[in-house]
Amino acid sequence: MTGVELTTGGAAAILFGGFFLLIVLRVPVAFALGLSCLPILVIEPRLSPMTLFNETFKAYNSFILLAVPFFLLTANLMNIGGISDRLVRLSRTMVGHFPGSLAQINVVLSVFFAGISGSSTADAASQGKLFIDAQVKEGYGLSFSIAITAVSAVLAVIIPPSILMVVWGGVISTSIGALYLAGILPGLLIAGAQMATVHAYAKFYKYPVYPRSTLKEFLVAGAQSIPALLTPVIIVGGILLGWFTPTESAAVAVIYAAVLSMLVYREMDRKKLVHALSETGKLSAIALFCVGTASVFGWLLAYYQMPRLLLDNVTSWGMGITEVGFFIAFAFLVVGCFLDAIPAIIILGTTLQPLAESVHMHPVQFAIIGIISLAFGLVTPPYGLCLMISCAVAKVPLRFALKDTMIMLVPMMVVLAACIIWPEIPLFLPRLISPEFLK
Amino acid sequence: MKRLLTWFYRFLTWLMIATVAILVVPVTLQVVSRYTDLIPAYIWTEELARFMFIWMVMLGAMIGVREGTHFEVDVWPALGERANASLRIVSQALVLVFALVFVWWGIEFTRFGWEQVSEIAELPMWTIFIAWPLAGVAWVLFLGEHFLANIRILRSSTA
């Protein structure tokens, strides 16, 4: 299975050169990936443009990816159904008395939201509307407000459920249940790092502080939020107990969110429902269409045996497991600057897997390193979706909030490094709760 | 023509909304049938869900071109209106190439599936494959609309 007309180097030049040229010309990423494959499909006598159709069809014909629209729909239903408001109240009673109150609430709400939805972009969009204006009115810097909204949104794909973990588990055959458990600790550590950053900012710029809430207020807000907070328990628990597959659990979450919004919190009407369905379809289709063309791109990389070539090269450097971990994180961080996370998993995850295996890195740790790095890619320019969304909500160009975002990324990077150096951090919970998933 | 395209776009949007709404049904049936005896365990639910999903992705991808929402990377500094319109024309011409590929080979792809039926529900496969050439046609139409709008911008600012 190698090329006749083209050498590996020639094919790589066409694929990567074509892709970068096209994205500079502002061709949408999904089309740029497909277009850069075309010349090879035409030149190579054993291939034809039909490969484009077969591979995209195979990519979409996947029961696992179905979880993506379900996760988005759950998030959208929760937003229109008044569930977010209740979670805001709960967060307020928990961290409202810390310095930088509203920004702390922003981070804590992201943690809750991350447990309900698996989509960072949904989180950035809804919290952008909720917090950015409100924070600026209370005297927080605009750039700080945008940055903290964007960086806290990345938690949604690290704390279970997570779209990226479902895709990773499907593409690289890793237990999704184990990935979910493995994401909890790193996710909470990153949230902690963000709260510390907010604390430092708040002290430095003298941001406002709310009065401490009473225990009663906390209990009332907590009680009202219990139905919403049960969502992650249903999703993660249902998978761990073997009740449903990950896709089914996502569908169950949709039904649960719909029931909560319609019957319990009663803030949803038909117009809002149609809007939620339409937004879900549009966003998930755009993200998933890219998965198809990325699959063709990845398929061609494999056809020209680039993963093996890379492995041969990199193994000759004689790196240990920690160095390989940093190498993997670096590769994902760089690619995450230019690509959406799902196509990045398809192209880079499969390429780096043999390397991770060659140093006996645990597949779950490999996945968590990749997913955290790609999550950070959601706020790194030029293609950082969460940062783009937050900036769009505030109607400023992306570079406006860049400095504060980069400052906030530093403590988050420390957590990533910790997950690389100490595999126990991601592996602790899966080992404790369900060691059978790690086999 | 403009009205016809708007009508076509609304039609596609409604179809997509329908696919999202229906998508939940077969997957839920699958779970319900496993744990209760209310309905028999249909084996076509998984396949039906996948096929609705493919249509949702393709319909959303068609709509995305009209709305201009397909994600792009912006490496340029803030451009003037004219420069912006020129760059759009170039990038959309490249997308047009891709759209034409989808139309041309998409028809062959559909023909290839003409005799095939799906493994479980025995649905004719062309009902799925036809989404590809249809996407190509929709893109060509929507790109044409964008192209005319950009030309108008170039003309108005020179005058």
Side-chain angles (χ1 to χ4, degrees):
Chain A
M1 276 256 293
T2 35
V4 187
E5 283 294 321
L6 289 168
T7 61
T8 304
I14 294 179
L15 286 172
F16 291 106
F19 175 68
F20 277 103
L21 182 70
L22 288 164
I23 57 170
V24 166
L25 289 171
R26 236 196 240 164
V27 173
V29 176
F31 293 91
L33 283 168
L35 274 168
S36 49
C37 296
L38 270 184
I40 298 183
L41 294 176
V42 174
I43 296 170
E44 196 66 65
R46 282 196 229 153
L47 303 175
S48 88
M50 285 307 274
T51 313
L52 188 66
F53 296 87
N54 291 326
E55 288 303 310
T56 45
F57 172 74
K58 256 199 255 164
Y60 303 143
N61 193 18
S62 140
F63 195 65
I64 289 243
L65 285 181
L66 255 168
V68 175
F70 289 159
F71 279 144
L72 280 172
L73 188 53
T74 309
N76 285 334
L77 289 176
M78 292 266 175
N79 277 329
I80 60 167
I83 294 170
S84 308
D85 303 344
R86 280 159 185 91
L87 291 174
V88 171
R89 248 172 270 155
L90 177 64
S91 320
R92 158 100 170 72
T93 60
M94 288 168 68
V95 295
H97 55 284
F98 291 178
S101 314
L102 197 54
Q104 301 283 12
I105 295 172
N106 191 336
V107 176
V108 173
L109 184 67
S110 291
V111 174
F112 286 143
F113 201 87
I116 292 170
S117 127
S119 159
S120 287
T121 42
D123 185 56
S126 69
Q127 300 206 8
K129 284 176 218 146
L130 219 54
F131 282 101
I132 295 178
D133 256 2
Q135 281 188 205
V136 172
K137 268 189 204 132
E138 288 195 6
Y140 295 81
L142 176 60
S143 149
F144 166 80
S145 306
I146 295 170
I148 193 68
T149 305
V151 296
S152 66
V154 308
L155 292 171
V157 292
I158 302 173
I159 295 176
S162 152
I163 287 182
L164 296 191
M165 291 178 186
V166 169
V167 173
W168 190 291
V171 174
I172 311 181
S173 330
T174 314
S175 153
I176 294 170
L179 290 183
Y180 275 0
L181 287 174
I184 296 175
L185 215 49
L188 293 178
L189 286 174
I190 291 172
Q194 291 172 346
M195 291 178 70
T197 316
V198 171
H199 189 98
Y201 263 89
K203 284 283 175 209
F204 190 75
Y205 291 103
K206 309 221 168 19
Y207 286 150
V209 185
Y210 293 153
R212 183 187 285 271
S213 310
T214 60
L215 183 67
K216 194 184 150 211
E217 283 173 318
F218 168 68
L219 292 178
V220 171
Q224 283 182 332
S225 308
I226 284 177
L229 293 177
L230 277 178
T231 323
V233 180
I234 297 174
I235 298 178
V236 180
I239 294 177
L240 291 180
L241 294 171
W243 289 351
F244 346 100
T245 66
T247 306
E248 288 169 355
S249 78
V252 170
V254 169
I255 307 266
Y256 184 70
V259 170
L260 275 190
S261 304
M262 277 191 284
L263 302 178
V264 181
Y265 295 137
R266 298 192 192 182
E267 284 180 25
M268 184 165 76
D269 54 34
R270 227 181 92 187
K271 211 176 139 200
K272 282 183 177 171
L273 176 66
V274 170
H275 184 73
L277 288 173
S278 154
E279 287 300 303
T280 303
K282 282 176 190 171
L283 192 59
S284 48
I286 288 170
L288 288 164
F289 178 67
C290 195
V291 170
T293 49
S295 302
V296 183
F297 196 93
W299 187 87
L300 278 179
L301 289 184
Y303 185 86
Y304 288 99
Q305 301 186 334
M306 276 176 240
R308 191 196 292 173
L309 203 72
L310 181 85
L311 179 66
D312 291 346
N313 255 313
V314 175
T315 8
S316 67
W317 303 350
M319 290 192 291
I321 181 163
T322 310
E323 287 90 345
V324 167
F326 279 105
F327 178 80
I328 290 170
F330 175 76
F332 274 111
L333 283 168
V334 171
V335 170
C337 290
F338 298 97
L339 262 188
D340 196 12
I342 302 177
I345 291 174
I346 293 170
I347 294 174
L348 195 61
T350 45
T351 308
L352 290 177
Q353 189 199 10
L355 176 64
E357 257 171 25
S358 73
V359 291
H360 307 288
M361 181 182 282
H362 197 289
V364 171
Q365 193 201 2
F366 170 49
I368 294 296
I369 294 174
I371 286 166
I372 295 178
S373 311
L374 287 174
F376 292 178
L378 292 168
V379 293
T380 51
Y383 186 76
L385 266 183
C386 287
L387 189 57
M388 284 155 91
I389 292 171
S390 302
C391 287
V393 171
K395 301 196 180 62
V396 293
L398 192 136
R399 46 189 92 74
F400 183 81
L402 211 51
K403 196 180 125 210
D404 284 315
T405 308
M406 290 304 130
I407 293 174
M408 289 177 196
L409 266 177
V410 175
M412 293 161 67
M413 289 286 186
V414 173
V415 178
L416 172 61
C419 292
I420 296 170
I421 299 169
W422 296 290
E424 294 80 15
I425 297 176
L427 295 179
F428 174 71
L429 278 180
R431 273 194 187 131
L432 189 73
I433 297 174
S434 61
E436 71 276 10
F437 276 130
L438 288 180
K439 300 282 145 54
Chain B
M1 190 63 196
K2 177 117 191 141
R3 270 176 56 197
L4 210 64
L5 278 178
T6 307
W7 181 85
F8 182 51
Y9 158 77
R10 287 219 185 108
F11 173 69
L12 291 177
T13 310
W14 275 107
L15 274 183
M16 186 202 65
I17 291 173
T19 56
V20 179
I22 298 171
L23 212 49
V24 188
V25 178
V27 184
T28 313
L29 284 181
Q30 201 168 306
V31 178
V32 173
S33 66
R34 192 176 316 142
Y35 293 105
T36 66
D37 294 324
L38 294 176
I39 46 166
Y42 300 113
I43 47 168
W44 47 260
T45 50
E46 200 248 353
E47 189 170 67
L48 181 71
R50 275 188 279 121
F51 287 177
M52 294 304 294
F53 175 67
I54 294 174
W55 268 103
M56 184 204 82
V57 173
M58 296 308 283
L59 286 165
M62 298 178 214
I63 296 167
V65 167
R66 187 171 203 253
E67 294 185 345
T69 43
H70 280 285
F71 303 134
E72 41 194 65
V73 179
D74 200 356
V75 292
W76 296 81
L79 293 173
E81 204 182 1
R82 271 183 59 100
N84 209 7
S86 317
L87 189 59
R88 287 257 166 259
I89 289 177
V90 174
S91 71
Q92 282 163 0
L94 289 162
V95 176
L96 183 69
V97 173
F98 199 68
L100 291 173
V101 168
F102 260 52
V103 178
W104 182 255
W105 276 283
I107 292 171
E108 193 183 322
F109 183 56
T110 312
R111 233 188 253 147
F112 164 77
W114 206 253
E115 303 287 315
Q116 287 181 340
V117 288
S118 68
E119 289 154 22
I120 303 168
E122 299 190 340
L123 286 167
M125 287 306 282
W126 65 266
T127 54
I128 308 298
F129 291 166
I130 204 162
W132 273 256
L134 180 68
V137 171
W139 288 337
V140 171
L141 292 174
F142 294 150
L143 287 167
E145 196 186 7
H146 280 300
F147 178 73
L148 291 179
N150 282 322
I151 289 287
R152 228 170 285 136
I153 292 174
L154 285 186
R155 279 226 186 106
S156 66
S157 44
T158 40

